[in-house]
Amino acid sequence: MSGLRKGATAAFVCLLGMALAVSSAQATIIGPGVEASTTGVDSAERLNIDRTITATLAAGTYQITDFSFFATANAGTVTPLLATLTNASTNEFTAFWIGDAVDSPATAYTAVSVDPTASITLTDTTTLYAGFFTSGGGRVAYDSTVGLTAHDNEFTAPTSPGDVISEFSHPTLVRAYAFRLTVVPEPSTWAMLGVMLLPSLGLWRRRRKRRVAHIE
């Protein structure tokens, strides 16, 4: 392999490596996290949307790679969701994505982590809120001294994207639930970035060739 070709290959590998490094750094956590609390326990089913730890994401496709929560009961299920705030004055949200129900662990006061293997597509820059609802005795721990949550103790669970979520019993409850959703850019987005780098690489090679010819 000529020195020019080696240099071009090295440059491309370097640029692609930078793109992949950026992609790994773009994992976004939405929600307080499982470390938020191990103390507070709800007494019945709840729907909650965290208002504090949101994410504003650019248009594109994203994978939902993790849903985690800290359970305080060993029965029932917890169902994750992502929503957008569509009317701030009336505290109205719209469901954007609803995951599958996750079983509570066999032992209470245990952290649960699953991969929903799901993806979402944003057509515009969008602010997403993470939430969940419980069923059959599922419970998620909370801290009642920090955070802000749209909290509903008498709710109709959303079933599909576009469903309106509103009329919360406590629209701005000081409470942080121990859960999180993790989203990362779709790998194809970064593969496309590598393709987009090719014209720049070609320009670099042509300039390099002209410099070598001039020297000779």
Side-chain angles (χ1 to χ4, degrees), residues 83-99:
T84 57
L85 179 60
T86 45
N87 193 323
S89 62
T90 60
N91 297 294
E92 179 180 287
F93 293 82
T94 298
F96 190 87
W97 168 83
I98 301 169

Side-chain angles (χ1 to χ4, degrees), residues 171-187:
T172 54
L173 183 65
V174 177
R175 187 173 287 186
Y177 279 85
F179 82 104
R180 68 168 182 245
L181 282 161
T182 304
V183 298
V184 298
E186 179 73 33

Side-chain angles (χ1 to χ4, degrees), residues 12 15 28 31 41 60 71 74 93 95-96 114 116 123 149 204:
F12 177 73
L15 289 171
T28 301
V41 182
N74 60 348
F93 293 82
F96 190 87
V114 298
T123 56
T149 296
W204 178 85

Side-chain angles (χ1 to χ4, degrees), residues 7 44 76 88 141 155 160 163-164 170 181 198 204 207-208 211 216:
F155 63 93
S160 60
D163 285 354
V164 173
H170 299 84
L181 282 161
L198 286 174
W204 178 85
R207 288 178 175 174
R208 171 78 173 176
R211 285 199 298 270
E216 293 176 348

Side-chain angles (χ1 to χ4, degrees), residues 1-178:
M1 183 182 289
S2 68
L4 178 60
R5 184 170 295 178
K6 287 180 179 179
T9 301
F12 177 73
V13 171
C14 180
L15 289 171
L16 188 56
M18 290 172 62
L20 293 174
V22 171
S23 74
S24 65
Q26 290 297 311
T28 301
I29 304 297
I30 316 179
V34 294
E35 301 82 7
S37 174
T38 59
T39 55
V41 182
D42 281 326
S43 59
E45 314 301 352
R46 298 287 188 268
L47 183 150
N48 296 287
I49 298 178
D50 181 71
R51 307 188 74 135
T52 306
I53 311 298
T54 63
T56 300
L57 303 177
T61 300
Y62 298 81
Q63 291 182 335
I64 302 173
T65 60
D66 176 74
F67 169 53
S68 297
F69 64 94
F70 195 95
T72 59
N74 60 348
T77 62
V78 179
T79 301
L81 64 88
L82 289 170
T84 57
L85 179 60
T86 45
N87 193 323
S89 62
T90 60
N91 297 294
E92 179 180 287
F93 293 82
T94 298
F96 190 87
W97 168 83
I98 301 169
D100 293 330
V102 177
D103 290 334
S104 292
T107 304
Y109 294 92
T110 301
V112 179
S113 183
V114 298
D115 181 356
T117 60
S119 66
I120 56 173
T121 298
L122 306 176
T123 56
D124 299 293
T125 298
T126 305
T127 299
L128 294 176
Y129 294 72
F132 66 88
F133 56 87
T134 60
S135 179
R139 301 289 184 267
V140 177
Y142 65 80
D143 185 336
S144 59
T145 64
V146 297
L148 203 63
T149 296
H151 174 90
D152 202 346
N153 54 23
E154 294 184 2
F155 63 93
T156 298
T159 58
S160 60
D163 285 354
V164 173
I165 308 171
S166 60
E167 299 182 356
F168 293 91
S169 54
H170 299 84
T172 54
L173 183 65
V174 177
R175 187 173 287 186
Y177 279 85

